[in-house]
C-alpha cells in the first residue's frame, strides 16, 4: 500500500477534478510478492489507476491482488466503472486504503466486488490516504477544495518590511519546497496586492517541472490586474483565473479575457471584501480539489477568520525584521491556527524550519 500511495502522489495537482489514485496488481510467488502492474490516475482524471494497472498486468491479473488507495468507482461516467474492469480481469482480492465518500460510490464499489466473490480488505494506509485524497474528500463532503495556507515568517512573526515592502525571509531549500508544493496543488491563489507588489509568476520552476505549474488564481475585486503582469505574460505555462466582485468593470473583464485570462465573479461580504466561502465553492465547481493560498498577511488572515484553512505550511526563517515590520497574522491572534489545526510535522530546510499543521 505504501508503494500504491507513492505512485498516486505522482499526479497530485494534475488529476483534478478526480483524486490522484495509485494502484498495484501483485501476485504472491514462492519467492515473495511480484508487482505485475502499476497505475496512477492520469492527467485530467482519465483513465483511472485501476484499469491501467490491470492492463499492464495482462493475464497475470487473474487470481492476483489489487492494492488501491481509494475505493474503486462503481458508477458509469465518462468511462466504465473500475469495478467492472476488476471483475473482468479475475482479480481475487482487493486491498483499499479508504472508502470513497462520493455518494455515487460510498461502499457500493466494495459491495459489488464482494458480491462477485472478490475478497475485500479496507484500512491499510488509511491515515496517509486521507491526507493524499483530502482534496477529493473535502470537495465531495463540503463542496470546496482542501485549502493549504503557505506562509513565510521571521522569528519575530513578521512577513514584510515596514511600508509593506517585500522581503525574502527563507533560503533556497525552503523555496524549492514551495515550488514542489505548487506542483502538487491544482491551483495556487494570491491577492491583487501581492501581484502589484511582487509581480509573481506562481509557477513551478524546479528543473524539468515547469509543466507541473498549477492554475494561478487572483482575488481582484475591482479587476486591477495589469496586462503586463508576469502572470499574464506566462499564460502559455499555466492558466490564470481572476475572481472579481459583482460590480467590477465589464470593460476591464473584456480586456483581460481578450488576453486569455478567465474572469469569474462572486459577491462581497459585509465588509466589502470578496466572499471567500463563495469563491472556494466556485473553484470546486470548476474542478479544483487542492488549493494552495500563497498570499500576504491580509488574505491569509481572511482565510483564517473564515475557517477555510485545512492545512498550513509555516516556513520560519532564522532572522528578524523588527517591530515596524508587517505582522504575519495581521488582524488575528498569532495562535489562532492552533485553535483548529495541530502540528503534524516539523523539519529543517537548511537554516529554515518548516512546520506542517492539519485539522
Amino acid at each position: 500500500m505504501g508503494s500504491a500511495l507513492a505512485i498516486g502522489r505522482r499526479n497530485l495537482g494534475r488529476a483534478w477534478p478526480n483524486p490522484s489514485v495509485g494502484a498495484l496488481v501483485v501476485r504472491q510467488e514462492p519467492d515473495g510478492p511480484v508487482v505485475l502492474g502499476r497505475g496512477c490516475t492520469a492527467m485530467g482524471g482519465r483513465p483511472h489507476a485501476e484499469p491501467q494497472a490491470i492492463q499492464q498486468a495482462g493475464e497475470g491479473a487473474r487470481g492476483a491482488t489489487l492494492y488501491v488507495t481509494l475505493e474503486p468507482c462503481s458508477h458509469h461516467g465518462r468511462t466504465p466503472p473500475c469495478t467492472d474492469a476488476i471483475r473482468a480481469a479475475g482479480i481475487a482480492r482487493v486491498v483499499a486504503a479508504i472508502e470513497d465518500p462520493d455518494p455515487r460510490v460510498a461502499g457500493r464499489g466494495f459491495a459489488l466486488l464482494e458480491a462477485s466473490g472478490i475478497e475485500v480488505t479496507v484500512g491499510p494506509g488509511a491515515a496517509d490516504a486521507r491526507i493524499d485524497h483530502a482534496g477529493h474528500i473535502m470537495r465531495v463532503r463540503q463542496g470546496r477544495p482542501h485549502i493549504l495556507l503557505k506562509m513565510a515568517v521571521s522569528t519575530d512573526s513578521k512577513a514584510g518590511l515596514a511600508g509593506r515592502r517585500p522581503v525574502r525571509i527563507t533560503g533556497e531549500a525552503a523555496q524549492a519546497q514551495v515550488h514542489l508544493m505548487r506542483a502538487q496543488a491544482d491551483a495556487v491563489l494570491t491577492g491583487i496586492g501581492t501581484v502589484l507588489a511582487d509581480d509573481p509568476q506562481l509557477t513551478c520552476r524546479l528543473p524539468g517541472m515547469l509543466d507541473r505549474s498549477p492554475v494561478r488564481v487572483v482575488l481582484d475585486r475591482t479587476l486591477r490586474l495589469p496586462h503586463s503582469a508576469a502572470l499574464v505574460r506566462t499564460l502559455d505555462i499555466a492558466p490564470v483565473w481572476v475572481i472579481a466582485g459583482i460590480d467590477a468593470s465589464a470593460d476591464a473583464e473584456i480586456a483581460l479575457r481578450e488576453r486569455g485570462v478567465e474572469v469569474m465573479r462572486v459577491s462581497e461580504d459585509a465588509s466589502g471584501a470578496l466572499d471567500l466561502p463563495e469563491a472556494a465553492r466556485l473553484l470546486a465547481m470548476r474542478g479544483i480539489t487542492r488549493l494552495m493560498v500563497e498570499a500576504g498577511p491580509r488574505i491569509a488572515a481572511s482565510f483564517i477568520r473564515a475557517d477555510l484553512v485545512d492545512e498550513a505550511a509555516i516556513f520560519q526563517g532564522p532572522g528578524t525584521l523588527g517591530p515596524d515590520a508587517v505582522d504575519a497574522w495581521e488582524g488575528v491572534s498569532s495562535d489562532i491556527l492552533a485553535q483548529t489545526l495541530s502540528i503534524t510535522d516539523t523539519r529543517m530546510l537548511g537554516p529554515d524550519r518548516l512546520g506542517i499543521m492539519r485539522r
Side-chain angles (χ1 to χ4, degrees):
M1 185 59 73
S3 296
L5 287 160
I7 290 169
R9 293 184 189 114
R10 292 178 182 176
N11 274 350
L12 285 176
R14 300 207 293 180
W16 62 277
N18 289 345
S20 186
V21 175
L24 291 179
V25 176
V26 180
R27 180 180 291 280
Q28 188 69 36
E29 300 287 357
D31 294 334
V34 177
V35 176
L36 304 176
R38 300 173 174 85
C40 176
T41 308
M43 289 179 59
R46 297 288 191 282
H48 288 183
E50 299 95 320
Q52 292 184 72
I54 289 169
Q55 182 179 21
Q56 191 177 108
E59 284 301 314
R62 192 161 300 278
T65 297
L66 173 71
Y67 290 85
V68 62
T69 61
L70 185 69
E71 179 182 7
C73 68
S74 55
H75 59 286
H76 284 269
R78 290 164 53 192
T79 56
C82 290
T83 50
D84 286 1
I86 294 168
R87 292 185 291 181
I91 293 287
R93 181 183 181 218
V94 171
V95 181
I98 57 175
E99 180 179 297
D100 189 342
D102 189 326
R104 297 172 297 178
V105 188
R108 184 168 177 265
F110 294 145
L112 286 171
L113 296 174
E114 289 178 327
S116 299
I118 298 172
E119 181 184 349
V120 174
T121 301
V122 183
D128 288 334
R130 280 191 289 269
I131 293 173
D132 293 350
H133 297 315
H136 172 68
I137 295 168
M138 183 63 72
R139 183 168 178 255
V140 167
R141 289 181 173 170
Q142 296 193 27
R144 67 167 177 84
H146 173 87
I147 297 176
L148 163 66
L149 173 65
K150 172 262 174 182
M151 289 289 291
V153 303
S154 62
T155 55
D156 55 350
S157 297
K158 304 293 183 178
L161 297 174
R164 300 194 174 277
R165 290 174 293 145
V167 60
R168 185 161 181 173
I169 295 174
T170 56
E172 295 295 334
Q175 292 298 311
Q177 181 65 31
V178 171
H179 283 261
L180 180 61
M181 291 164 60
R182 290 177 185 170
Q184 295 180 331
D186 302 346
V188 59
L189 178 147
T190 195
I192 186 61
T194 296
V195 173
L196 296 176
D198 299 351
D199 196 24
Q201 293 185 34
L202 299 178
T203 52
C204 175
R205 296 188 295 281
L206 295 175
M209 294 183 67
L210 191 61
D211 63 344
R212 298 292 301 260
S213 297
V215 174
R216 284 84 55 82
V217 180
V218 182
L219 297 180
D220 184 7
R221 186 175 62 86
T222 59
L223 290 178
R224 293 186 292 155
L225 178 64
H227 300 166
S228 60
L231 290 171
V232 180
R233 298 197 309 271
T234 56
L235 279 166
D236 59 322
I237 298 175
V240 174
W241 297 353
V242 172
I243 299 180
I246 296 296
D247 297 326
S249 166
D251 290 340
E253 176 178 345
I254 292 171
L256 285 171
R257 288 188 180 277
E258 287 176 346
R259 284 160 175 79
V261 175
E262 187 159 351
V263 178
M264 298 170 278
R265 295 174 183 262
V266 299
S267 57
E268 299 173 10
D269 61 24
S271 69
L274 293 175
D275 188 313
L276 293 184
E278 184 180 339
R281 291 191 297 270
L282 179 61
L283 292 175
M285 289 174 62
R286 299 296 305 274
I288 300 300
T289 69
R290 298 166 61 87
L291 176 66
M292 177 177 170
V293 175
E294 190 174 348
R298 288 176 176 170
I299 296 287
S302 296
F303 272 87
I304 294 170
R305 280 194 296 266
D307 193 25
L308 289 174
V309 178
D310 305 299
E311 185 177 354
I314 311 300
F315 294 83
Q316 186 177 67
T320 61
L321 296 182
D324 295 330
V326 179
D327 289 335
W329 316 109
E330 194 168 8
V332 297
S333 170
S334 61
D335 62 352
I336 191 169
L337 282 176
Q339 298 174 19
T340 54
L341 310 183
S342 300
I343 296 176
T344 60
D345 184 30
T346 58
R347 72 191 82 154
M348 297 303 296
L349 299 169
D352 307 314
R353 180 183 298 276
L354 169 60
I356 301 294
M357 304 177 73
R358 296 187 176 98
R359 284 188 187 270

